[in-house]
Amino acid sequence: MTNKPNQQDVAFGFRKVNEGDKQGLVNEVFSKVAARYDQMNDLMSGGLHRLWKDDLVAMLNPPKGQGAFNHLDVAGGTGDVAFRVLRAGGPNVRVTVADISPEMVSEGRSRAGTEGLLGRCSFTVGNAEALAFPDKSFDGYTIAFGIRNVTHIDRALAEAYRVLKPGGRFLCLEFSQVDIPLLDRIYDAYSFTVIPAVGKAVTGDGQPYRYLVESIRTFPKQEDFKGMMDDAGFANATYRNLTGGVVAIHSGWRI
Ligand code: SAM
């Protein structure tokens, strides 16, 4: 792959690729995994992703009464977080899912229909770096296991800030840096051997799962990501580690 003028190399897993090529490569990964995405999530995390997402939604705490709450779930894929937000909140909670992969969006939309939730959520194809929503239009913004896939994290954070209303909350759930000795080595061995092997056994192709694991290791550490949130203007940026830092939830507020 040759470098185009004015473009830099960025990480695509452990490979360096031209920044203009990264999103297309990411999209290929998700178009391949979309049909088995939910099943693979359970297999790879032993079901833990459900508890992590429950924690994320508990922190968001959408209103349970009659209060209106307009929520955006970016990189929302098959709707796992969106459905949790709807179930945790009252009848006037609405969720918009924006995800760049038409295949993931299509899986999500059909799940929403099956689960009887289409009336309160909508699925759209869109890029976290250039959201098609007006300024100050959402009360809450979540992104789960999505931001490490975007090419320019700073642009995604700026967009999150832009579309949130003043007082709106940003929450990001992402794989992070394990901070417990020994657990880090067990986790590494598991990630680089078991996950691609399970991916290959279930879907016939281990390569997309290798990317998913590698992209975790190249994502900024907890403090560094918090610094990026500060730079984007979020107030009270904080984070909480779950499962020894296997994942972290970062929180911040638009002012
Ligand atoms: N949030 C879902 C969940 O937790 O189950 C899906 C997470 S999945 C690992 C990552 C998602 O990020 C994929 O659906 C992918 O299409 C989406 N994605 C990747 N790059 C994106 C971008 N630039 N803008 C929006 N979505 C993106």
Side-chain angles (χ1 to χ4, degrees):
M1 218 168 276
T2 53
N3 249 10
K4 292 167 192 150
N6 303 320
Q7 293 207 341
Q8 299 179 352
D9 285 344
V10 294
F12 172 71
F14 289 162
R15 273 166 62 197
K16 288 282 180 196
V17 299
N18 195 282
E19 67 176 340
D21 296 327
K22 172 167 170 165
Q23 192 67 60
L25 292 165
V26 167
N27 296 354
E28 254 177 59
V29 166
F30 288 103
S31 75
K32 283 188 191 153
V33 304
R36 308 300 277 274
Y37 178 78
D38 294 315
Q39 183 192 8
M40 281 301 297
N41 253 356
D42 276 333
L43 273 175
M44 291 186 307
S45 74
L48 274 175
H49 75 105
R50 294 169 182 256
L51 304 181
W52 297 330
K53 288 169 181 165
D54 286 345
D55 269 5
L56 175 79
V57 172
M59 282 175 77
L60 181 70
N61 193 21
K64 291 175 180 44
Q66 296 300 313
F69 190 81
N70 194 22
H71 186 72
L72 177 65
D73 183 44
V74 172
T78 58
D80 244 15
V81 169
F83 304 153
R84 279 176 168 74
V85 172
L86 289 173
R87 293 203 173 99
N92 296 317
V93 174
R94 296 270 177 286
V95 182
T96 302
V97 173
D99 191 290
I100 204 163
S101 162
E103 292 84 0
M104 293 290 278
V105 163
S106 154
E107 288 290 327
R109 199 177 283 127
S110 96
R111 260 184 85 187
T114 310
E115 305 202 14
L117 293 170
L118 260 185
R120 289 200 293 138
C121 66
S122 58
F123 280 79
T124 61
V125 175
N127 189 341
E129 294 187 29
L131 295 169
F133 306 109
D135 296 357
K136 303 181 185 173
S137 41
F138 293 98
D139 300 290
Y141 174 116
T142 46
I143 184 162
F145 306 117
I147 206 155
R148 76 179 191 279
N149 298 296
V150 311
T151 307
H152 306 99
I153 294 173
D154 54 342
R155 291 184 200 166
L157 288 172
E159 279 293 85
Y161 194 89
R162 180 184 69 75
V163 300
L164 275 169
K165 296 177 188 171
R169 191 171 197 183
F170 168 89
L171 286 166
C172 172
L173 170 64
E174 190 50 271
F175 288 106
S176 210
Q177 175 86 2
V178 173
D179 58 2
I180 298 179
L182 193 62
L183 178 62
D184 54 355
R185 274 185 282 155
I186 295 168
Y187 177 54
D188 253 21
Y190 173 78
S191 306
F192 286 103
T193 53
V194 179
I195 290 181
V198 173
K200 185 157 196 302
V202 175
T203 68
D205 186 359
Q207 192 51 45
Y209 297 94
R210 205 157 293 121
Y211 158 73
L212 291 175
V213 172
E214 289 177 3
S215 61
I216 294 169
R217 298 302 187 278
T218 55
F219 186 69
K221 297 190 174 90
Q222 287 89 327
E223 274 297 322
D224 297 334
F225 186 65
K226 178 189 163 309
M228 295 178 87
M229 288 175 60
D230 291 334
D231 292 345
F234 286 102
N236 298 326
T238 54
Y239 64 86
R240 190 154 75 82
N241 284 338
L242 307 178
T243 320
V246 170
V247 299
I249 299 177
H250 280 78
S251 161
W253 302 84
R254 167 153 190 177
I255 40 176

